[in-house]
Amino acid sequence: MDIKARGVRPCLELGFLGAEGEGEGGPPAAPNFPPSSAISCDPSDCQQYYFSPLILINNSTDPNGAGDVVKTRWYRKPQGVSDSAYELITYCESSGKSNCTPQSDVLPGYYTAKLYVEDSVGKSSKGTIDFR
């Protein structure tokens, strides 16, 4: 009995083997999901105290694995202004996952930080947190 007549499809038809029979194609790759951005502060009230740095902590995760966050960018703007006012905090930009200490050049006041994270295939996520 022919293999097709029994309802069994050869690997070539399923895409597991190339036209020459080599292992081209293979099973479909697992889907890539975007990272999930998350931010916290140290100290936890997100306020800088005299002689104590404020650290914005990148708690982002990626369902495809811890090492899949390959780009981090931090932005800031004064609270209450439009999103077009976000400025890149260049000294906090990195490949991989990184935290940020933004107050070294920030005047006293209320700010919003935005975190942008990207994974190895370009999927991304953004999150914000207020600090002072």
Side-chain angles (χ1 to χ4, degrees):
M1 175 181 264
D2 183 284
I3 219 169
K4 287 185 182 180
R6 290 187 295 168
V8 178
R9 293 178 20 199
C11 290
L12 180 59
E13 285 184 23
L14 294 174
F16 294 133
L17 295 176
E20 303 298 310
E22 301 97 29
E24 297 173 20
N32 184 287
F33 298 99
S36 176
S37 63
I39 311 167
S40 63
C41 297
D42 183 19
S44 61
D45 64 358
C46 294
Q47 182 172 338
Q48 179 187 3
Y49 294 96
Y50 193 63
F51 288 116
S52 178
L54 168 70
I55 302 170
L56 299 173
I57 302 169
N58 181 347
N59 294 315
S60 301
T61 59
D62 191 295
N64 300 102
D68 201 35
V69 173
V70 297
K71 183 187 290 184
T72 297
R73 288 192 179 139
W74 290 92
Y75 299 84
R76 70 164 170 252
K77 69 172 184 141
Q79 286 182 13
V81 300
S82 96
D83 285 352
S84 64
Y86 274 113
E87 296 178 343
L88 177 65
I89 307 172
T90 56
Y91 53 83
C92 291
E93 186 176 19
S94 77
S95 57
K97 189 173 159 182
S98 66
N99 298 332
C100 184
T101 305
Q103 74 279 356
S104 61
D105 62 348
V106 175
L107 297 173
Y110 293 84
Y111 294 88
T112 299
K114 178 170 66 173
L115 170 64
Y116 169 89
V117 291
E118 187 175 298
D119 71 10
S120 60
V121 296
K123 292 190 177 182
S124 63
S125 177
K126 298 173 189 168
T128 61
I129 195 166
D130 294 333
F131 70 95
R132 55 185 177 166

